[in-house]
């Protein structure tokens, strides 16, 4: 009987593994098909005409794209370094947790909301220019152009860099600081011998990620670019299709964008990963070098500056939204329709992203012990699936599908499903980051028990997988929906006459100089995204206590 049960368990495990691998294969094929069709459409557009010639204006756009990405990366990293060092030194001040949480907000905030907050602070009628006018300064500070793009990119990317650096510093063993205190090391020596070696290994990966994000920026450049002299490749693709209707130029720009992202990903993969340094004990880390009044004052200045830089635009969005006519906006049928369309896109987009992430996570576990060449190739393909968004930006995929679907008539008819799939692909890396660790833990805890009970298929999903993975699945869904709600690129390219989302309505009201309406709608969009985030997080405190 024991041998029979063991045999049944092995067969059940094998069947479950094959089903998981098959699900991952199907998901990967569908993802590659969606991206491949877009790329094939770009190639078809150039068939018979050869590759489009890069005009001097195109090369100028490429230079500006790389230059603003380089400057944005440099400024973000330079600002993030003292902030991370100060947070690592000052571990006991009352607002530390608040500041760390505040630094997470720009990473999940719709870009359009952040742009409006920056306009409210740094714009022509913003707080800074109003203060300068009171002081008698007549020349206003202009946020449009390169300066505005850099400011916005630092606002969104400095917190990301600071949190990653802080994580590296907090992995240092507590004995380092005890030894530094016993040797009487000064602040400069501590930075040179302890802090810099811990951070320097992380800098290439952090800088490469921020450079990729800035090189593929769309919404910020569209709002703050300020004309042809401050245009990136993604915005130029949008303009070539929506305003000039110049498909060859759009294809040339898309090819350049693809080449830039591919080169950056190649450089990132060639750079060696930094060594992992773990804590040697569980005692809380005490930083003796941060206890003097001078150290607290210097660190407090950096942390206060970071707090003001991040909190001011967010507070401006809240105050401007409350000052707008919210009652009139909430009763506007156009707002109702835009909100319904946004949620109608966000929900299926989030579901597709979560289903793909779940299928990929299960397949990676099933293929972990596989030794055949097909299994290794499938595992490598699934591992690279989440990087496809960086390799093939959403604007390139949208351009390919736009050029393909226009052959069949009005592109706006097909806009909704294409936008849903593009948003799902954009949310896939974030959903994978939430689900993959949870699925790994769930597999180690419950797979053998489920196999011994003979549970498989729908029964296993109902009694084992859903109860154990319900919370991370809902969290991933809420994050994916929030990302889809804030997207502007795909909707802007496919035309918004029949597909008016809330971000596009904000952008159109802003373009018609109805800034009060845009502020109120931005507050509404932010509240919807916050609500989605809270829906994905209930019960977390109770789970931590248990």
């Amino acid at each position: 009987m024991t041998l029979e049960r063991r045999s049944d368990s092995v067969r059940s495990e094998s069947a479950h593994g094959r089903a998981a691998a098959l699900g991952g294969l199907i998901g990967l094929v569908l993802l590659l098909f969606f991206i491949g069709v877009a790329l094939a459409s770009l190639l078809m557009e150039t068939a018979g005409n050869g590759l489009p010639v890069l005009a001097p204006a195109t090369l100028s756009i490429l230079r500006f794209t790389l230059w603003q990405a380089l400057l944005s990366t440099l400024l973000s990293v330079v600002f993030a370094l003292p902030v991370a060092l100060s947070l690592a030194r000052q571990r006991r001040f009352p607002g530390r947790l608040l500041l760390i949480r505040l630094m997470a907000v720009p990473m999940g905030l719709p870009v359009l909301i952040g742009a409006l907050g920056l306009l409210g602070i740094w714009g022509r009628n913003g707080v800074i220019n109003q203060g300068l006018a009171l002081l008698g300064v007549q020349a206003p500070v202009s946020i449009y152009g390169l300066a505005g793009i850099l400011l916005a990119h630092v606002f969104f990317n400095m917190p990301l860099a600071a949190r990653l650096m802080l994580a590296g510093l907090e992995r240092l063993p507590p004995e380092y600081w005890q030894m530094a205190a016993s040797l009487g090391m000064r602040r400069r020596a501590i930075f040179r011998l302890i802090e810099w070696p811990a951070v320097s290994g992380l800098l290439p990966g952090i800088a490469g990620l921020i450079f990729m994000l800035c090189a593929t920026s769309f919404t910020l450049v569209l709002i703050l670019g300020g004309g042809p002299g401050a245009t990136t490749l993604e915005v130029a693709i949008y303009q070539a299709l929506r305003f000039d209707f110049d498909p060859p130029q759009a294809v040339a720009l898309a090819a350049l964008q693809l080449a830039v992202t591919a080169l950056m990903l190649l450089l990132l993969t060639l750079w060696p990963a930094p060594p992992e340094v773990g804590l040697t004990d569980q005692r809380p880390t005490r930083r003796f070098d941060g206890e003097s009044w001078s150290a607290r004052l210097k660190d407090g200045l950096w942390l206060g500056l970071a707090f003001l830089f991040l909190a001011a635009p967010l507070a401006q969005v809240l105050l401007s939204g409350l000052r707008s006519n919210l009652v009139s906006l909430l009763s506007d049928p156009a707002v109702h329709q835009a909100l319904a369309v946004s949620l109608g896109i966000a929900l299926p987009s989030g579901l597709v992203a979560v289903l793909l992430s779940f299928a990929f996570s299960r397949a990676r576990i099933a293929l972990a012990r596989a030794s055949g060449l097909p299994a290794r190739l499938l595992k490598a393909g699934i591992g690279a699936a989440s990087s496809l968004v960086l390799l093939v930006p959403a604007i390139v995929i949208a351009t390919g599908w736009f050029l393909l679907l226009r052959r069949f008539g009005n592109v706006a008819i097909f806009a909704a499903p294409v936008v849903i799939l593009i948003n799902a692909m954009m949310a896939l890396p974030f959903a994978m980051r939430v689900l993959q660790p949870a699925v790994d833990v769930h597999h180690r805890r419950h797979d053998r028990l489920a196999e011994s009970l003979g549970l498989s298929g729908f029964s296993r999903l109902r009694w084992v997988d859903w109860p154990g993975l319900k919370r991370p699945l809902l969290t991933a869904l809420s994050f994916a929906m929030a990302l889809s709600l804030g997207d502007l690129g795909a909707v802007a390219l496919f035309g918004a006459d029949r597909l008016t989302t809330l971000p596009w309505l904000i952008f159109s009201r802003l373009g018609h100089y109805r800034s009060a309406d845009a502020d109120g709608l931005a507050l509404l969009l932010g509240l919807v995204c916050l609500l989605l985030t809270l829906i994905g997080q209930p019960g977390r405190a109770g789970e931590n206590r248990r």
Side-chain angles (χ1 to χ4, degrees):
M1 293 292 292
T2 304
L3 291 176
E4 291 179 1
R5 288 181 180 174
R6 244 179 231 179
S7 178
D8 292 340
S9 176
V10 171
R11 284 196 296 269
S12 174
E13 181 180 0
S14 178
H16 176 69
R18 286 195 299 268
L22 180 61
L25 176 62
I26 293 174
L28 184 61
V29 169
L30 292 176
L31 182 63
L32 293 177
F33 174 78
F34 182 70
I35 298 175
V37 169
L39 297 180
S41 174
L42 294 176
L43 293 176
M44 289 169 53
E45 194 68 29
T46 61
N49 300 322
L51 291 176
V53 179
L54 297 180
T58 304
L59 296 178
S60 175
I61 293 172
L62 174 61
R63 284 194 297 269
F64 179 82
T65 301
L66 300 178
W67 177 240
Q68 63 84 22
L70 180 63
L71 289 179
S72 299
T73 302
L74 181 62
L75 292 174
S76 299
V77 171
V78 169
F79 190 4
L81 181 59
V83 173
L85 294 175
S86 299
L87 281 171
R89 272 190 294 264
Q90 307 298 331
R91 301 180 59 86
R92 296 182 180 180
F93 72 93
R96 185 175 189 272
L97 183 59
L98 174 62
L99 179 57
I100 292 176
R101 290 179 175 175
L102 179 64
M103 292 168 65
V105 173
M107 292 183 283
L109 186 73
V111 176
L112 191 58
I113 297 178
L116 287 176
L118 292 172
L119 284 173
I121 298 296
W122 300 90
R124 181 174 294 275
N125 297 318
V127 176
I128 299 297
N129 280 323
Q130 290 178 4
L132 292 176
L134 291 177
L135 296 176
V137 179
Q138 298 298 325
V141 175
S142 177
I143 194 177
Y144 296 101
L146 178 61
I149 294 173
L150 297 180
L151 179 68
H153 282 163
V154 172
F155 173 78
F156 280 98
N157 295 311
M158 183 276 290
L160 172 63
R163 285 171 66 93
L164 293 175
M165 293 180 192
L166 178 62
L169 291 169
E170 290 184 338
R171 286 197 296 267
L172 290 173
E175 290 82 3
Y176 282 22
W177 314 117
Q178 296 170 4
M179 183 65 69
S182 65
L183 294 175
M185 294 175 62
R186 296 185 177 274
R187 190 165 180 169
R188 184 175 300 179
I190 290 176
F191 174 76
R192 182 171 57 88
L193 299 175
I194 300 177
E195 292 174 327
W196 178 248
V199 172
S200 59
L202 302 173
L203 286 181
I206 295 173
L209 175 61
I210 294 176
F211 186 92
M212 290 285 295
L213 294 174
C214 296
T216 57
S217 178
F218 176 78
T219 304
L220 289 176
V221 181
L222 185 64
I223 295 176
L224 304 175
T231 300
T232 58
L233 289 172
E234 294 215 358
V235 175
I237 293 171
Y238 163 73
Q239 293 172 343
L241 289 178
R242 295 300 302 170
F243 297 111
D244 303 332
F245 196 72
D246 188 357
Q249 175 70 0
V251 171
L253 294 167
L256 268 180
Q257 181 78 353
L258 192 60
V260 169
T261 53
L263 179 60
M264 280 304 305
L265 278 179
L266 178 62
L267 293 177
L268 287 177
T269 56
L270 293 177
W271 194 272
E276 291 291 335
V277 179
L279 296 177
T280 59
D281 55 30
Q282 297 300 321
R283 290 174 294 170
T285 302
R286 181 181 177 184
R287 293 290 301 269
F288 298 93
D289 58 321
E291 295 182 353
S292 66
W293 284 107
S294 60
R296 291 179 180 179
L297 178 61
K298 293 176 182 177
D299 292 338
L301 291 176
W302 277 112
L303 297 178
L305 178 62
F307 179 82
L308 289 177
F309 181 71
L310 297 176
L314 302 178
Q316 179 65 27
V317 170
L318 177 61
L319 294 177
S320 298
L322 292 176
R323 285 198 300 263
S324 65
N325 194 346
L326 288 175
V327 176
S328 175
L329 288 175
L330 292 176
S331 61
D332 188 352
V335 175
H336 299 165
Q337 181 181 1
L339 180 59
V341 171
S342 296
L343 293 175
I345 291 176
L347 179 58
S349 175
L351 289 174
V352 171
V354 169
L355 287 175
L356 282 176
S357 301
F358 184 62
F360 289 159
S361 300
R362 291 176 71 242
R364 290 183 66 178
I365 293 174
L367 296 168
R369 300 179 181 177
S371 57
L373 179 60
R376 290 200 301 269
L377 291 176
L378 178 57
K379 183 181 178 181
I382 291 175
S386 59
S387 300
L388 288 175
V389 178
L390 295 176
L391 178 60
V392 189
I395 193 68
V396 175
I397 298 174
T399 302
W401 279 97
F402 181 92
L403 295 175
L404 177 65
L405 294 176
R406 73 186 178 93
R407 303 171 184 268
F408 301 97
N410 188 2
V411 176
I413 299 176
F414 310 99
V418 176
V419 170
I420 288 172
L421 294 176
I422 290 176
N423 288 350
M425 196 190 75
M426 291 173 58
L428 181 61
F430 301 93
M432 283 284 291
R433 186 169 184 177
V434 173
L435 278 183
Q436 182 67 58
V439 172
D440 289 342
V441 173
H442 179 77
H443 163 75
R444 291 194 297 267
R445 289 179 177 176
H446 302 294
D447 267 20
R448 290 186 179 180
L449 177 60
E451 290 155 5
S452 65
L453 296 175
L455 293 175
S456 62
F458 181 76
S459 298
R460 177 192 171 100
L461 179 64
R462 178 183 178 185
W463 297 110
V464 179
D465 293 337
W466 173 246
L469 295 172
K470 176 172 61 175
R471 180 58 53 224
L473 284 170
L474 290 177
T475 301
L477 177 62
S478 66
F479 286 168
M481 289 183 63
L483 287 171
S484 180
L485 274 173
D487 175 66
L488 180 64
V491 174
L493 183 60
F494 275 87
D497 296 334
R498 298 189 180 185
L499 201 70
T500 302
T501 61
L502 203 53
W504 178 259
L505 187 62
I506 295 173
F507 180 70
S508 62
R509 296 285 173 92
L510 193 64
H512 289 87
Y513 301 100
R514 298 171 64 179
S515 57
D517 286 356
D519 292 333
L521 293 174
L523 178 61
L524 176 61
L525 177 61
L527 291 176
V528 173
C529 293
L530 178 62
L531 179 61
L532 284 174
T533 304
L534 294 178
I535 289 175
Q537 299 294 328
R540 177 66 56 86
E543 291 175 4
N544 288 340
R545 286 195 297 269
R546 288 195 293 272

